[in-house]
Amino acid sequence: MIRNENGQLAGYVFVDMTGRDMEGYVEEAKKRVQQNLKMPKGYTLIWSGQYENMARVTQRLTWFCR
């Protein structure tokens, strides 16, 4: 899907991770993308959605539970 966000084109990839834990899947995907994809100048890659929310909550709980 391609949309416009903040005046820039944005493309989305939706993934079904049935049978995998989200954090493990995304960490493996990040490594593979970094090894195999050269981003053109001006492009950005953001890992978002439930993963982004989970990472934020984990960071807050880590700080809170100290």
Side-chain angles (χ1 to χ4, degrees):
M1 174 191 314
I2 298 178
R3 294 179 27 181
N4 177 329
E5 287 196 11
N6 299 323
Q8 296 183 353
L9 290 178
Y12 296 87
V13 177
F14 297 92
V15 179
D16 180 8
M17 299 178 303
T18 303
R20 295 279 313 263
D21 69 294
M22 185 184 329
E23 185 176 15
Y25 180 90
V26 173
E27 293 303 322
E28 181 181 338
K30 281 182 173 183
K31 287 178 188 175
R32 289 185 183 213
V33 166
Q34 186 177 17
Q35 292 170 353
N36 298 304
L37 179 66
K38 183 176 180 183
M39 295 292 289
K41 186 175 181 179
Y43 283 68
T44 57
L45 178 64
I46 299 172
W47 299 88
S48 188
Q50 291 178 338
Y51 172 76
E52 184 179 39
N53 294 332
M54 182 192 68
R56 189 179 308 120
V57 167
T58 301
Q59 185 179 17
R60 285 183 187 163
L61 287 174
T62 301
W63 181 82
F64 182 73
C65 293
R66 288 184 183 187

